[in-house]
Amino acid sequence: MTTVVVHTWARDPGNALVRPDGTVEWRSTKLVPGEDDPAAVSVALGIASARDDELVAVTFGDADPSWALARGAARSVVVADASVDEDEAGVAALVAATVRSVDGVDVVVIGDSESHPGVAGTVAGLLGWPVVLGASTARWGDDGLEVARRVAEGVQTLAVAVPAVVAVRADQAESRAPGMKEQLAARKRPVQRVSVADLEVPATVAATLDSTRLPATQGARLFDGSPQEAARALVGALRSEGAVR
Amino acid sequence: MSAWVVLTRPEGAAAAVRAAAAGGAVTVLAVGPRELADAVASAGADEVLWLEPQPGFAIESCAPQVADLVAADSPQLVVGGVEPQVRALLGAVAARLGAAVLSEVSTVRADGMSFVLERAGLGGAVVQGVRTVGPVVALLAADEDEPVDGTAVGVRAAEAGATAPVRVVRTQAAATADGLGTALTVVSVGRGLRSRDDLAMVEQLAAALDAQIGCSMPVADDLGWVPKDHYVGRSGQQIGPRLYLALGISGAPQHLEGIRRAKVVVAVNSDPAAPIFRRADYGVVGDLYEVVPALLDALGH
Ligand SMILES: Cc1cc2nc3c(=O)[nH]c(=O)nc-3n(C[C@H](O)[C@H](O)[C@H](O)COP(=O)(O)OP(=O)(O)OC[C@H]3O[C@@H](n4cnc5c(N)ncnc54)[C@H](O)[C@@H]3O)c2cc1C
């Protein structure tokens, strides 16, 4: 069976320029790896290698497939003409259709993105597979995958039968980026380019941007003056709010 | 027209019902123990339906049945929160309805045949109005903890249905730092602090405010100046104090995830462009080495 990791499926919000009128200009729409993607690849690699199978990376548009290949994926599938925007159901539909096009997939690992929290669950819904979101680790157990994740009550370990989707939340930044050797090896690994027309992407309801504005509260009320003046004014404000006695 | 709210926790139920009301009569589907359904019965919905996972199964196991129950009513609007469990359920619903999915939603308004949802875009830098025609699943931004005072409606138990194979193996209670989770005031320090010795000054301020000490991840993880169970953020403690005072903390999104529930946030930072000032209610642009002693003075210490 095949394990798939989905990576680099969103734009870099750092490339969005917010104009004074609240409209947004994307200086670049290039897709960049999400902050959870390194952790997702690492979890997926653990799952795949524990059963001696290859890890297949899936990505889109102008994403760099060698990013996952250098981190241990054996091959990559790129939906080259896919345009990925902020529509979460649309992204999920594209991901699910791409997964379906890869033979024998029974585990999909994807980053559980804070800024796109609706994607991973919808991917699972479209595939009709069970899902565990907010996962920190996953390994094979007696009944499929044992996935640990943090919830309000503590750390919960769940057993999920495959096929399944595991959505990973990173706990920290990647500790070690691939070195030159891994980068070179990545270039030799196969990259298969497919087109959206080759996939059966389910239709979703379109969401259109009607308006965009700056938030009503523009950040903190700042206290100026000398540190003493600022501190006194701050303590006064906090006292009148009842936040400080 | 009808709308549904799917929830797995009582927090934010009233806000979810209020948002859903734009879609017509509201059915709340409470997935979890009976107490959950009872707790949300007065959140303002027209009907509360209760579904409990089979013994040993996780909330996620209910996803196929939740999709069945919701889809049978063909609602145009489904609202929920952002906890991992509820997103698993909403994902199944969205797929079944072929719905649009929008996150960070704050308000929903009906406009003829369509809905206009306001959502925070780019981590809160903009507010977008998004129009959808057809079913939409809205993940609400924050779970506001407001009191509910509506009249309780009856709770109806849903009949057992399709189950997905997701079981609970074990749950280990969270290792919360002593008192940090329940503290009314937290004084938190970041990499703006230059040395471990300078922590004494911060501790003095914390004592003056009867506060617990928190910190950013690097202060605990990389520097080891504060115990690891005191760092705040997505990977650390998620807290909701009445007052959170951030000293020399830049306000990375991962840090801010830990203070979503904080009531009043104060930032002291030498960089006026530090993102923490966007989340903070009050701020002082300045050197914490000057501002902290001044605060101690102002507090009468
Ligand atoms: C997957 C992932 C998960 C993460 N999880 C967490 C998490 O749970 N919690 C967390 O905190 N971080 C987390 N991080 C790290 C996060 O991205 C930031 O790197 C971190 O929060 C920065 O800590 P800081 O604000 O203390 O340091 P910096 O970002 O270095 O900020 C220091 C601030 O101090 C100010 N400063 C400097 N000198 C002074 C002075 N004399 N007086 C006043 N101000 C001064 C500077 O202007 C600056 O704004 C995570 C990162 C990743 C990738």
Side-chain angles (χ1 to χ4, degrees):
Chain A
M1 298 308 281
T2 303
T3 306
V4 159
V5 65
V6 184
H7 71 95
T8 317
W9 49 269
R11 298 171 186 176
D12 178 2
N15 281 325
L17 186 76
V18 179
R19 299 201 199 89
D21 66 353
T23 55
V24 175
E25 178 189 333
W26 287 90
R27 277 172 294 188
S28 160
T29 54
K30 186 167 173 54
L31 302 181
V32 293
E35 67 179 347
D36 302 289
D37 286 6
V41 175
S42 146
V43 164
L45 199 57
I47 292 171
S49 51
R51 58 175 182 180
D52 274 335
D53 68 24
E54 57 170 23
L55 176 62
V56 178
V58 161
T59 192
F60 309 95
D62 58 4
D64 174 13
S66 70
W67 184 88
L69 298 174
R71 285 164 176 77
R75 64 188 176 89
S76 179
V77 177
V78 182
V79 187
D81 58 351
S83 71
V84 176
D85 57 24
E86 300 295 290
D87 170 13
E88 298 187 55
V91 174
L94 186 61
V95 169
T98 315
V99 166
R100 281 215 183 87
S101 77
V102 179
D103 270 347
V105 181
D106 65 348
V107 179
V108 172
V109 183
I110 183 169
D112 192 7
S113 162
E114 168 75 5
S115 39
H116 303 92
V119 170
T122 309
V123 169
L126 289 165
L127 292 169
W129 296 358
V131 59
V132 179
L133 296 143
S136 45
T137 62
R139 58 180 187 83
W140 291 103
D142 298 336
D143 304 312
L145 290 169
E146 280 200 358
V147 183
R149 62 112 181 268
R150 279 182 13 148
V151 287
E153 303 83 54
V155 177
Q156 205 171 48
T157 305
L158 303 179
V160 52
V162 296
V165 175
V166 178
V168 175
R169 270 209 113 189
D171 271 345
Q172 55 195 48
E174 187 174 34
S175 53
R176 197 191 74 92
M180 190 55 96
K181 204 173 119 225
E182 286 107 332
Q183 310 264 16
L184 288 174
R187 286 198 208 141
K188 301 201 183 86
R189 302 202 168 135
V191 176
Q192 180 196 352
R193 289 184 194 273
V194 300
S195 138
V196 178
D198 303 334
L199 308 171
E200 279 163 39
V201 183
T204 47
V205 169
T208 49
L209 194 63
D210 224 30
S211 65
T212 165
R213 61 172 170 86
L214 298 175
T217 47
Q218 276 294 322
R221 179 173 151 207
L222 297 178
F223 298 102
D224 324 305
S226 70
Q228 286 70 24
E229 287 162 355
R232 268 197 302 274
L234 171 59
V235 169
L238 292 175
R239 282 204 172 118
S240 64
E241 258 207 52
V244 160
R245 264 177 294 148
Chain B
M1 282 233 297
S2 68
W4 284 59
V5 171
V6 179
L7 46 83
T8 58
R9 290 198 310 171
E11 288 84 10
V17 170
R18 222 180 310 118
V26 179
T27 302
V28 164
L29 174 54
V31 186
R34 173 76 200 207
E35 299 82 74
L36 171 70
D38 291 336
V40 300
S42 49
D46 298 281
E47 185 186 17
V48 174
L49 202 57
W50 164 55
L51 179 62
E52 190 173 33
Q54 287 172 30
F57 280 80
I59 298 273
E60 287 83 346
S61 69
C62 297
Q65 195 187 353
V66 168
D68 287 343
L69 286 166
V70 177
D73 193 37
S74 316
Q76 292 297 295
L77 176 63
V78 182
V79 174
V82 287
E83 317 84 71
Q85 294 95 323
V86 83
R87 285 188 289 122
L89 305 178
L90 292 170
V93 170
R96 184 73 62 85
L97 297 176
V101 177
L102 291 172
S103 57
E104 291 286 329
V105 171
S106 51
T107 63
V108 185
R109 178 167 60 84
D111 181 19
M113 292 302 287
S114 59
F115 290 109
V116 178
L117 300 92
E118 277 209 321
R119 66 178 301 269
L122 299 172
V126 292
V127 179
Q128 301 172 327
V130 179
R131 182 178 295 272
T132 57
V133 183
V136 56
V137 170
L139 313 187
L140 290 192
D143 37 29
E144 291 160 56
D145 247 334
E146 80 246 63
V148 290
D149 52 5
T151 16
V153 294
V155 172
R156 189 159 60 82
E159 279 164 36
T163 298
V166 191
R167 289 165 203 272
V168 179
V169 179
R170 63 185 161 276
T171 306
Q172 262 175 310
T176 42
D178 283 346
L180 190 61
T182 52
L184 288 176
T185 308
V186 174
V187 170
S188 199
V189 64
R191 264 202 306 223
L193 200 70
R194 283 188 223 115
S195 84
R196 177 183 223 140
D197 293 343
D198 300 341
L199 209 54
M201 176 179 75
V202 176
E203 278 160 355
Q204 232 183 318
L205 180 60
L209 288 166
D210 197 12
Q212 294 282 321
I213 299 256
C215 65
S216 66
M217 185 165 87
V219 170
D221 249 13
D222 307 344
L223 301 167
W225 294 350
V226 171
K228 282 202 179 165
D229 57 2
H230 280 255
Y231 82 77
V232 172
R234 71 185 286 180
S235 336
Q237 306 295 327
Q238 280 118 46
I239 57 176
R242 197 174 56 187
L243 172 62
Y244 185 77
L245 182 53
L247 307 169
I249 292 178
S250 59
Q254 300 91 355
H255 184 81
L256 299 183
E257 271 182 60
I259 55 166
R260 278 192 160 205
R261 289 184 290 118
K263 300 282 177 305
V264 177
V265 175
V266 174
V268 177
N269 197 304
S270 48
D271 175 7
I276 187 80
F277 287 122
R278 272 202 296 186
R279 166 65 178 88
D281 302 284
Y282 299 107
V284 177
V285 178
D287 184 347
L288 73 91
Y289 286 85
E290 289 172 5
V291 176
V292 170
L295 279 171
L296 280 164
D297 265 355
L299 288 162
H301 284 260

